DNA sequence: ATCACTGTACTATTATACTATTACAGTAGA
DNA sequence: TCTACTGTAATAGTATAATAGTACAGTGAT
């Protein structure tokens, strides 16, 4: 499957699932009309309980990102791209402040940014859905 | 007091307390030999329970960052500065990958970095302990 | 109709984060 | 000594994340 879950993170698994699916849509890996994995399949792949995935999907539905089709699965509706990017940048802002307060130099951080964008250091995704 | 807690975050409060104190030491706001706030005082200031602060302090003691002095309080011992900075940069790396995967451009991120380091957007700390 | 898949719903249980409360022990100062 | 502060410890209760299991209902293909 296309993403991995960090079980040692304090971020709940269902939130990580939501984030991953939103990111996949934003990056174009998932398009409007695509089917995402069934609750049972994804739960099996990730190695978590059905209910955990169900919660993630339920909340994504509330957010208007996906739509359930009983008997068939969940279909991608779309995302508020700009809004999600702003959320990500907000999160980044907080972390950067911590970095600054810890004495990390601006140059070091810009280097990290460049490292991520210079080919490697990026995603380890598959191309199929 | 010198830091604020994000109660809406999924990061546990006791972890946020640990991070904040480590960061304060790294940035020089707290020096070796300084006393940090008493468990009861900090708990009252933040608005959390004594046990929550006690847990943070206990773990900081295990990490060798502070040392308890019964009847007096906790004293700063020191931190493995470089190690903590590397941990922060690792965290940053993960977040940057998410940003990249979501289609945020490199320039935007560098702008955010510069914004943080250009005076405002930084800390809202007091200088006293 | 049957089968195999979908989503949906519910209950019970465990682990963790946090709160609330009480108590005890060490230290410093009036 | 008394008082007021420190850390330490233990118990009980609540909320949430996640697990486990079961059951029901809709859809599509054979």
């Amino acid at each position: 499957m296309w993403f991995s879950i960090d079980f040692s993170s304090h971020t709940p698994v269902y939130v990580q699932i939501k984030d991953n699916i939103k990111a996949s849509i934003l990056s174009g890996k998932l398009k409007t009309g695509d089917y995402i994995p069934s609750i049972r399949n994804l739960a099996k792949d990730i190695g978590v309980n059905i209910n955990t995935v169900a919660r993630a999907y339920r909340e994504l539905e509330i957010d208007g990102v996906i739509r359930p089709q009983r008997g068939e699965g969940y279909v991608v509706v779309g995302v508020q791209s700009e809004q999600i990017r702003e959320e990500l940048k907000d999160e980044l802002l907080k972390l950067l402040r911590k970095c600054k307060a810890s004495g990390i130099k601006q140059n070091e951080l810009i280097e990290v940014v460049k490292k991520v964008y210079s080919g490697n250091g990026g995603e380890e995704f598959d191309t199929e859905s």
Side-chain angles (χ1 to χ4, degrees), chain A residues 27-127:
Chain A
S27 69
K29 286 183 202 70
L30 284 176
K31 295 176 190 64
T32 301
D34 282 356
Y35 279 89
I36 60 176
S38 77
I39 291 179
R40 285 179 180 81
N41 271 346
L42 186 55
K44 198 178 166 191
D45 277 15
I46 296 179
V48 298
N49 193 268
I50 295 177
N51 300 323
T52 306
V53 179
R55 174 165 184 186
Y57 281 16
R58 199 187 316 132
E59 295 195 4
L60 282 172
E61 182 198 352
I62 292 172
D63 291 349
V65 176
I66 57 179
R67 189 207 319 266
Q69 297 210 309
R70 216 183 176 101
E72 295 181 57
Y74 276 93
V75 186
V76 172
V77 174
V79 289
Q80 306 282 358
S81 308
E82 265 324 302
Q83 181 188 326
I84 292 176
R85 291 200 186 101
E86 286 310 314
E87 283 170 17
L88 267 176
K89 285 206 273 187
D90 262 17
E91 202 182 328
L92 184 67
L93 201 62
K94 286 183 192 167
L95 185 54
L96 286 175
R97 282 177 186 155
K98 278 210 272 180
C99 289
K100 183 189 180 186
S102 301
I104 301 181
K105 297 277 173 290
Q106 176 173 352
N107 283 346
E108 293 181 76
L109 298 186
I110 291 186
E111 237 178 79
V112 177
V113 173
K114 285 181 179 168
K115 181 175 159 194
V116 169
Y117 276 82
S118 69
N120 80 327
E123 61 270 92
E124 45 257 10
F125 293 104
D126 296 81
T127 44

Side-chain angles (χ1 to χ4, degrees), chain A residues 3-14:
Chain A
F3 54 81
S4 55
I5 298 296
D6 180 5
F7 290 100
S8 68
S9 165
H10 288 112
T11 305
V13 172
Y14 79 91

